């Protein structure tokens, strides 16, 4: 069953703006990850945040995790047209480290 | 990270036929997985491919429909048997890094269209 649910389902912004996507989940997790998928291709791992971490940065990406609210956000700063893709959050819980994926947010960045 | 090659990248198949997808990794990996992504949907785990033993299938997926082989630590195949239009999906091979911290690496996927 799906664990994470992304919000919004679709996001359209102008180049240079920031993009924020949210992920909510239902049960306690070990890790939460974000992946990017360009136009029906394979997924690319972006960042992993552990349940005992609250914030992580990687280049223009900033991920936060609020375990009390069972939610995470992915912020892409100064977006570029090349950031156009679908973004998925994935969580693992309990004794299994196999991620379960949400439905994704479709991001379009207009040049 | 691992480099994963999947073949075919896409195919159009007739109802009732079967197709085998190959996944080749450029290094030995312990964990290999097969996911399905139906049009506009998220990824659903089909099974964990186990080297030298039968794959571990998730609820809703059975060996007769999705037989999987994993003869060694760098190669696996997924067969989609007796296909119907509902099997039209992207099938993705993924592997875990070692030591596994949770992140997965994916192939480019195999887009199947069943007519």
């Amino acid at each position: 069953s799906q664990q994470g649910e992304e919000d919004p389902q679709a996001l359209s912004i102008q180049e240079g703006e920031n993009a924020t996507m949210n992920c909510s989940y239902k049960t306690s997790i070990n890790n939460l990850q974000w992946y990017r998928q360009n136009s029906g291709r394979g997924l690319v791992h972006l960042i992993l945040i552990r349940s005992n971490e609250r914030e992580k940065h990687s280049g223009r990406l900033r991920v936060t995790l609020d375990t009390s609210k069972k939610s995470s956000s992915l912020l892409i700063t100064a977006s570029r047209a090349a950031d156009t893709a679908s973004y998925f959050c994935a969580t693992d819980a309990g004794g299994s480290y196999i991620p379960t994926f949400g439905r994704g947010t479709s991001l379009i960045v207009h040049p | 990270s691992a480099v994963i090659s999947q073949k075919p990248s896409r195919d159009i198949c007739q109802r009732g036929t079967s197709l085998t997808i190959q996944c080749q990794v450029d290094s030995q990996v312990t964990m290999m997985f097969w996911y399905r992504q139906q049009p506009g949907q998220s990824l659903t785990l089909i099974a964990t491919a186990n080297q030298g033993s039968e794959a571990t299938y998730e609820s809703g997926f059975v060996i007769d429909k999705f037989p999987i082989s994993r003869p060694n630590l760098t190669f696996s195949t997924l067969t989609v048997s007796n296909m119907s239009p509902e099997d039209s999906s992207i099938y993705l091979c993924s592997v875990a890094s070692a030591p596994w911290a949770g992140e997965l690496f994916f192939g480019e996927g195999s887009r199947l269209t069943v007519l």
Side-chain angles (χ1 to χ4, degrees):
Chain A
S1 61
Q2 289 184 342
Q3 166 75 303
E5 292 294 335
E6 292 89 340
D7 167 62
Q9 289 188 352
L11 183 59
S12 180
I13 61 174
Q14 294 295 129
E15 208 165 31
E17 295 179 340
N18 295 341
T20 300
M21 290 159 267
N22 302 296
C23 172
S24 59
Y25 56 91
K26 297 176 182 174
T27 64
S28 296
I29 60 171
N30 302 319
N31 307 291
L32 185 143
Q33 306 177 55
W34 287 91
Y35 289 81
R36 184 186 74 225
Q37 184 180 38
N38 287 86
S39 188
R41 303 186 68 182
L43 277 73
V44 173
H45 180 261
L46 297 176
I47 201 163
L48 180 150
I49 188 165
R50 304 191 190 288
S51 60
N52 62 354
E53 297 175 311
R54 291 297 167 258
E55 187 170 314
K56 233 175 173 178
H57 297 255
S58 177
R60 293 184 295 111
L61 306 180
R62 173 176 169 252
V63 170
T64 61
L65 179 64
D66 187 335
T67 53
S68 66
K69 295 181 180 178
K70 293 186 171 57
S71 67
S72 171
S73 68
L74 170 67
L75 169 67
I76 304 174
T77 60
S79 63
R80 305 166 182 168
D83 294 328
T84 294
S86 292
Y87 291 83
F88 295 88
C89 73
T91 58
D92 62 85
S96 172
Y97 285 86
I98 305 174
T100 300
F101 288 80
R103 294 186 184 276
T105 292
S106 174
L107 172 66
I108 297 175
V109 182
H110 299 280
Chain B
S1 64
V3 177
I4 304 162
S5 302
Q6 266 188 251
K7 290 194 296 187
S9 59
R10 58 176 62 228
D11 208 339
I12 299 174
C13 308
Q14 296 299 317
R15 182 195 298 260
T17 62
S18 300
L19 183 79
T20 296
I21 302 166
Q22 299 180 4
C23 177
Q24 179 73 55
V25 190
D26 69 341
S27 58
Q28 293 186 342
V29 292
T30 305
M31 309 288 284
M32 291 182 75
F33 308 99
W34 287 98
Y35 282 87
R36 180 177 73 182
Q37 186 179 26
Q38 293 176 303
Q41 300 297 314
S42 182
L43 281 73
T44 302
L45 180 65
I46 297 172
T48 301
N50 301 309
Q51 193 264 329
S53 64
E54 193 172 287
T56 304
Y57 289 85
E58 297 298 304
S59 176
F61 297 96
V62 295
I63 188 171
D64 289 347
K65 177 66 176 178
F66 298 100
I68 290 171
S69 77
R70 182 147 182 222
N72 55 53
L73 293 177
T74 65
F75 185 78
S76 178
T77 66
L78 168 73
T79 299
V80 186
S81 302
N82 188 25
M83 286 185 285
S84 66
E86 292 71 35
D87 294 319
S88 297
S89 296
I90 300 173
Y91 293 85
L92 295 144
C93 170
S94 69
V95 305
S97 59
W100 192 20
E103 59 266 42
L104 295 177
F105 300 95
F106 284 84
E108 287 296 303
S110 299
R111 183 186 292 269
L112 302 188
T113 301
V114 184
L115 303 179

